[in-house]
Amino acid sequence: MSIIRRITVFRRKYIIRSLKYLIVLILIPLVLTIIWFRNGLILGGGEEGLIFYNPLKSLEISQSTWAEINTGLPNLYWLPRVLFLIPASILVNNFGLPSYLAQAGLFFILMVVGVVSIYYLTVNLFEDYSSRFLIAFTTSIFYLFNPFSASQIWGRGIYPFYFSFALLPLSLLLLLKGLKSKQLIYVPLLVLSSVIFSNAFGTVTFAITYWVVLFLFTLWWFFVNRFRKNEIFFGCLILVTFFMAWFV
């Protein structure tokens, strides 16, 4: 009974310490979105335009791989927008939600997914360290506020960059959990996350970066477990299976 009690106390302390940092990591994106949208205005730039000015119209334009601009041109860049423009258009046109709140909600979700994924990814990588929660919290703060994120992601106003901020750490987290547990259930989870955040693949450069990072991460796992053939075999299995499913 004493062992069970100790395990229960340990889990309780683990949850409390984890939640303490998670609450802060959720509050920071909330404060940022409130600051950005406090005047009730939507955000946009020259490269993307004002997508949320009329989400329904943006949805109609994005559903085709042919952009009717000047004499027309093929365009795959807008197609992934459909997945977030459908709920946005429903909320704005059917439920009367202000457009700026729909955009603010999207920004908030992407920031939270990114920082929380980085948090748990770091916790899992440093699980043998007593200060892993503090390390993970510091890493998440840096991920959100480092100069590259500030200038090239949130400062550029390009939606594929916003989605890549959330997708890359989430995929690394799911891949790590799959490698550790040796369960193929993480393959459909990886595919689902890449579909939900597929707007990140609006730029070819991120698609290349995405797979290079996942491949290098798996190579690191192979090196750590170089004397365990079953770990290497399953690592190859999960990465190849995910790549085939992602490609399809």
Side-chain angles (χ1 to χ4, degrees):
M1 290 299 293
S2 60
I3 296 177
I4 296 175
R5 189 177 297 112
R6 288 178 184 177
I7 295 175
T8 304
V9 172
F10 175 78
R11 287 180 177 177
R12 189 178 302 165
K13 289 182 179 179
Y14 180 93
I15 293 173
I16 292 174
R17 291 180 64 184
S18 181
L19 286 177
K20 179 177 65 175
Y21 292 118
L22 280 178
I23 291 173
V24 178
L25 292 176
I26 293 174
L27 285 176
I28 291 175
L30 180 62
V31 172
L32 288 176
T33 52
I34 291 175
I35 293 173
W36 292 345
F37 295 92
R38 66 185 183 278
N39 295 322
L41 302 175
I42 57 176
L43 298 179
E47 294 179 271
E48 289 280 4
L50 301 175
I51 297 176
F52 279 86
Y53 177 75
N54 188 340
L56 185 60
K57 183 62 178 178
S58 299
L59 176 61
E60 294 175 356
I61 296 174
S62 303
Q63 287 177 340
S64 174
T65 56
W66 182 262
E68 294 184 0
I69 300 174
N70 297 325
T71 57
L73 70 157
N75 182 30
L76 294 175
Y77 178 78
W78 289 348
L79 190 60
R81 295 177 180 177
V82 171
L83 285 176
F84 73 84
L85 284 174
I86 289 176
S89 61
I90 292 174
L91 290 173
V92 172
N93 293 92
N94 294 1
F95 294 94
L97 183 73
S99 296
Y100 79 93
L101 286 181
Q103 189 180 33
L106 177 64
F107 278 37
F108 172 73
I109 291 172
L110 293 176
M111 279 190 286
V112 168
V113 171
V115 296
V116 170
S117 297
I118 282 289
Y119 177 80
Y120 279 113
L121 176 64
T122 309
V123 167
N124 279 273
L125 289 173
F126 290 86
E127 60 182 357
D128 296 329
Y129 292 77
S130 58
S131 58
R132 60 189 179 278
F133 295 105
L134 180 59
I135 296 173
F137 177 74
T138 306
T139 304
S140 301
I141 295 296
F142 177 77
Y143 183 66
L144 181 61
F145 289 109
N146 72 81
F148 182 85
S149 294
S151 62
Q152 299 303 309
I153 295 179
W154 304 107
R156 284 290 301 276
I158 300 178
Y159 281 84
F161 294 173
Y162 297 154
F163 280 79
S164 66
F165 179 88
L167 178 60
L168 186 56
L170 177 59
S171 296
L172 286 173
L173 174 61
L174 292 173
L175 178 60
L176 178 61
K177 297 291 287 185
L179 291 171
K180 280 188 171 184
S181 64
K182 292 191 286 295
Q183 295 180 3
L184 286 176
I185 185 61
Y186 286 95
V187 171
L189 292 177
L190 281 163
V191 175
L192 180 62
S193 64
S194 66
V195 170
I196 294 175
F197 299 100
S198 60
N199 197 45
F201 301 112
T203 58
V204 178
T205 51
F206 177 74
I208 297 172
T209 302
Y210 180 78
W211 280 105
V212 168
V213 171
L214 263 60
F215 178 72
L216 292 177
F217 187 83
T218 309
L219 283 183
W220 165 81
W221 180 261
F222 290 166
F223 177 78
V224 172
N225 298 276
R226 56 189 178 276
F227 301 115
R228 301 175 182 175
K229 293 182 179 180
N230 60 331
E231 297 284 352
I232 296 176
F233 171 77
F234 187 82
C236 293
L237 179 63
I238 193 172
L239 189 66
V240 172
T241 305
F242 173 46
F243 178 76
M244 293 174 64
W246 176 88
F247 187 81
V248 172

